[in-house]
């Protein structure tokens, strides 16, 4: 603690991201990155843009990318907000739609950035326990005081909540914003985007970090009514007019345009996820039915923390959360088939 710190800094409890290891020998299955490269069109677009135009500020409204994303979802650009990664969109959303002193609700097992924002912005929280099977009961979210946020599919459980349940939550929070964090939705059944037509309290947040393999470019976006989008723009323009740089704008547009590459790599990840699930079940693991690019698993006879350590010693990095209710689970990002074969070799070796 420093006497020079503001009360916001003093109460903050910053997020600790998964390790970014530079060791090329390490198989990295710990932060849900895509194992495939971005679309080749992304590289072309960035190379073309890397010229003397970098002298000039980028577009503060990012209309080209907003239009591209709007077209993808049959919306207008007024329904789209772009951020520097969806973490930034989440931070702006907490500020724009949640009120200090009014408790928001999210699941007890969920994305660990939510409590960080809540603390920073002085928003009280009600962490609602998921049911014993880690599913979410919509009734627990009715009539929240300050709003609701949850990922769908949830992280780190990998479980998908169907749209009737989401609609139920929206209907019972008419005057509060319900944020659905769809970081992994491209690997799942369907997005809640169609519900935007019926519910002006819905904000959907997605990222280009996972399904579009652009974690390093930092692009996330929100979909919502023009009124909600304007709220986000007002917050952004109170911090920084230019959150998205020129290279990211053209790279993002190219990634959305290349639908064939997106579908191909997404389907490859899903196919790998399905065989890895079966293989882990054959080894006696319980695998939650994943609709994401990762698996959340436990084993009746194996200690999860030890498994994490032993895998790491053998150059396979996964994620372990030392947190009650999930202390005997590990989270495994889906890699390429080759990486997952190597993962199983190591798993068999360490027993
Ligand atoms: C990865 C992730 C994000 C953040 O992604 P960005 O890289 O900041 O776009 C947000 N929410 C959840 C649940 C995630 O897993």
């Amino acid at each position: 603690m420093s006497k020079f710190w503001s009360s916001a800094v003093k109460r903050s409890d910053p997020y600790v991201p998964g390790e970014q290891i530079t060791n090329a020998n390490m198989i990295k299955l710990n932060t849900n990155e895509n194992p495939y490269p971005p679309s080749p069109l992304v590289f072309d677009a960035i190379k073309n843009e890397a010229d003397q135009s970098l002298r000039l500020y980028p577009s503060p409204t990012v209309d080209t990318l907003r239009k591209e994303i709007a077209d993808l979802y049959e919306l207008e650009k007024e329904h789209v907000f772009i951020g520097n990664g969806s973490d930034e969109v989440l931070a702006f959303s907490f500020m724009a739609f949640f009120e200090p002193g009014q408790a928001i609700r999210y699941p007890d097992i969920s994305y660990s950035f939510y409590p960080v924002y809540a603390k920073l912005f002085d928003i009280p929280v009600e962490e609602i326990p998921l049911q014993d099977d880690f599913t979410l009961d919509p009734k627990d979210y009715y009539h929240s005081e300050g709003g609701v946020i949850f990922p769908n599919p949830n992280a780190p459980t990998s479980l998908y909540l169907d749209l009737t349940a989401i609609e139920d939550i929206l209907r019972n929070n008419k005057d509060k914003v319900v944020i659905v964090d769809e970081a992994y939705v491209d690997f799942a059944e369907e997005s809640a985007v169609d519900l935007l037509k019926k519910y002006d309290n819905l904000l959907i947040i997605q990222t280009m970090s996972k399904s579009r393999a652009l974690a390093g470019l930092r692009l996330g976006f929100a979909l919502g009514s023009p009124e909600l989008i304007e709220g986000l723009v007002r917050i952004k323009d109170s911090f920084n007019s230019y959150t998205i740089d020129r290279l990211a704008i053209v790279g993002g547009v190219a990634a959305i345009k290349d639908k064939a590459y997106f579908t191909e790599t997404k389907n490859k990840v899903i196919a790998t996820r399905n065989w890895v699930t079966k293989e882990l079940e054959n080894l006696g693991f319980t695998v939650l039915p994943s609709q994401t690019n990762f698996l959340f698993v436990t084993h009746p006879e194996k200690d999860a923390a030890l498994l994490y350590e032993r895998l790491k010693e053998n150059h396979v990095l996964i994620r372990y959360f030392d947190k009650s209710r999930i202390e005997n689970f590990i989270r495994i990002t889906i890699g390429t088939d080759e990486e997952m074969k190597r993962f199983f070799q190591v798993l068999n070796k360490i027993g």
Side-chain angles (χ1 to χ4, degrees):
M1 286 283 169
S2 157
K3 68 175 180 189
F4 298 117
W5 287 357
S6 69
S7 54
V9 179
K10 282 182 188 147
R11 70 173 172 263
S12 69
D13 183 8
Y15 180 73
V16 183
E19 300 151 89
Q20 284 299 338
I21 297 265
T22 41
N23 180 351
N25 292 325
M26 190 68 95
I27 297 184
K28 193 171 179 304
L29 308 176
N30 71 326
T31 52
N32 299 340
E33 286 138 331
N34 201 306
Y36 301 107
S39 155
L41 299 188
V42 171
F43 300 122
D44 294 344
I46 291 177
K47 280 178 198 147
N48 279 331
E49 186 71 7
D51 61 18
Q52 54 122 344
S53 71
L54 290 178
R55 186 173 68 77
L56 303 169
Y57 284 109
S59 161
T61 51
V62 205
D63 285 344
T64 51
L65 183 52
R66 287 171 81 196
K67 182 80 176 67
E68 205 61 46
I69 292 169
D71 288 352
L72 182 69
Y73 287 108
E74 296 172 3
L75 300 167
E76 301 301 322
K77 74 170 171 29
E78 287 70 28
H79 298 105
V80 183
F81 175 83
I82 314 282
N84 193 282
S86 63
D87 287 337
E88 185 185 74
V89 183
L90 285 164
F92 288 171
S93 302
F94 270 62
M95 255 203 145
F97 309 120
F98 296 156
E99 193 64 35
Q102 295 188 9
I104 58 162
R105 290 186 200 160
Y106 54 75
D108 63 337
I109 297 160
S110 185
Y111 188 37
S112 34
F113 228 132
Y114 304 154
V116 174
Y117 300 129
K119 239 192 185 143
L120 184 64
F121 300 136
D122 231 351
I123 298 158
V125 302
E126 292 168 5
E127 294 192 351
I128 311 292
L130 291 173
Q131 303 180 95
D132 288 341
D133 62 358
F134 293 140
T135 57
L136 179 156
D137 183 351
K139 287 195 284 302
D140 293 340
Y141 295 82
Y142 287 1
H143 314 299
S144 73
E145 184 187 27
V148 173
I149 180 164
F150 56 88
N152 193 41
N154 196 7
T157 66
S158 77
L159 300 179
Y160 178 77
L161 184 67
D162 62 47
L163 297 188
T164 50
I166 292 183
E167 193 163 0
D168 205 13
I169 295 171
L170 287 162
R171 217 183 299 117
N172 288 285
N173 281 284
K174 282 251 185 255
D175 299 320
K176 297 292 161 190
V177 174
V178 174
I179 301 177
V180 183
D181 179 354
E182 293 191 332
Y184 300 100
V185 83
D186 291 327
F187 303 105
E189 237 165 88
E190 60 179 324
S191 164
V193 69
D194 282 347
L195 295 176
L196 289 174
K197 292 191 192 80
K198 270 170 82 179
Y199 297 94
D200 63 1
N201 58 331
L202 170 60
L203 188 78
I204 293 173
I205 297 182
Q206 293 192 9
T207 175
M208 300 186 60
S209 296
K210 276 78 183 228
S211 60
R212 291 179 205 271
L214 288 174
L217 206 60
R218 310 307 301 132
L219 284 170
F221 55 91
L223 308 172
S225 67
E227 166 186 12
L228 294 186
I229 298 307
E230 196 193 327
L232 288 170
V233 171
R234 290 179 71 113
I235 295 288
K236 185 210 68 149
D237 288 340
S238 304
F239 275 100
N240 176 359
S241 306
Y242 310 107
T243 50
I244 316 297
D245 65 65
R246 285 178 172 272
L247 306 183
I249 294 172
V250 296
V253 168
I256 301 281
K257 273 201 185 348
D258 198 347
K259 296 198 169 65
Y261 184 86
F262 166 75
T263 305
E264 182 196 326
T265 49
K266 174 188 85 167
N267 287 340
K268 264 161 62 175
V269 170
I270 292 173
T272 306
R273 175 184 84 198
N274 295 344
W275 79 253
V276 172
T277 300
K278 286 210 184 71
E279 199 68 23
L280 283 167
E281 284 172 349
N282 291 341
L283 294 172
F285 283 88
T286 302
V287 183
L288 300 197
S290 170
Q291 294 216 23
T292 62
N293 67 337
F294 60 86
L295 298 174
F296 200 52
V297 314
T298 185
H299 192 287
E301 285 126 39
K302 291 186 206 288
D303 180 85
L306 196 62
L307 208 50
Y308 161 82
E309 289 298 340
R310 302 283 285 130
L311 284 165
K312 192 172 172 182
E313 284 160 20
N314 286 276
H315 307 291
V316 177
L317 192 61
I318 57 164
R319 191 88 190 255
Y320 173 71
F321 300 91
D322 187 10
K323 181 179 159 85
S324 84
R325 294 187 76 190
I326 57 169
E327 66 278 337
N328 215 26
F329 281 78
I330 50 174
R331 192 191 72 186
I332 307 156
T333 302
I334 299 299
T336 61
D337 285 347
E338 293 65 36
E339 286 172 323
M340 299 321 288
K341 279 178 199 152
R342 182 77 196 121
F343 163 80
F344 280 114
Q345 279 168 6
V346 171
L347 196 61
N348 287 325
K349 181 183 130 189
I350 64 182

